[in-house]
Amino acid sequence: MSAIDRSSTVTGTVAVVGTGTMGQGIAQVALVAGHPVRLYDAAPGRAAEAAASIAARLDRL
């Protein structure tokens, strides 16, 4: 098995639908890996709350 050649992979925006614990975790991992992330949730304002929560966790790191 060999390492992934990142220069040949396509990087794009990661869309996360649902901003519960799992969705926030997926979004955080994608952000740390350098991908732009879009958060979506059915509950009004929930995506913005999740973005703030993720940002706070990343600031602590």
Side-chain angles (χ1 to χ4, degrees):
M1 190 156 151
S2 62
I4 297 172
D5 178 11
R6 296 199 185 276
S7 65
S8 65
T9 59
V10 176
T11 58
T13 302
V14 175
V16 179
V17 179
T19 58
T21 301
M22 190 174 199
Q24 287 185 37
I26 293 166
Q28 183 172 329
V29 168
L31 284 166
V32 169
H35 298 280
V37 174
R38 301 282 303 205
L39 295 173
Y40 298 93
D41 200 287
R46 183 68 178 121
E49 291 171 9
S53 179
I54 294 166
R57 281 194 302 276
L58 291 175
D59 284 343
R60 285 192 301 263
L61 293 174

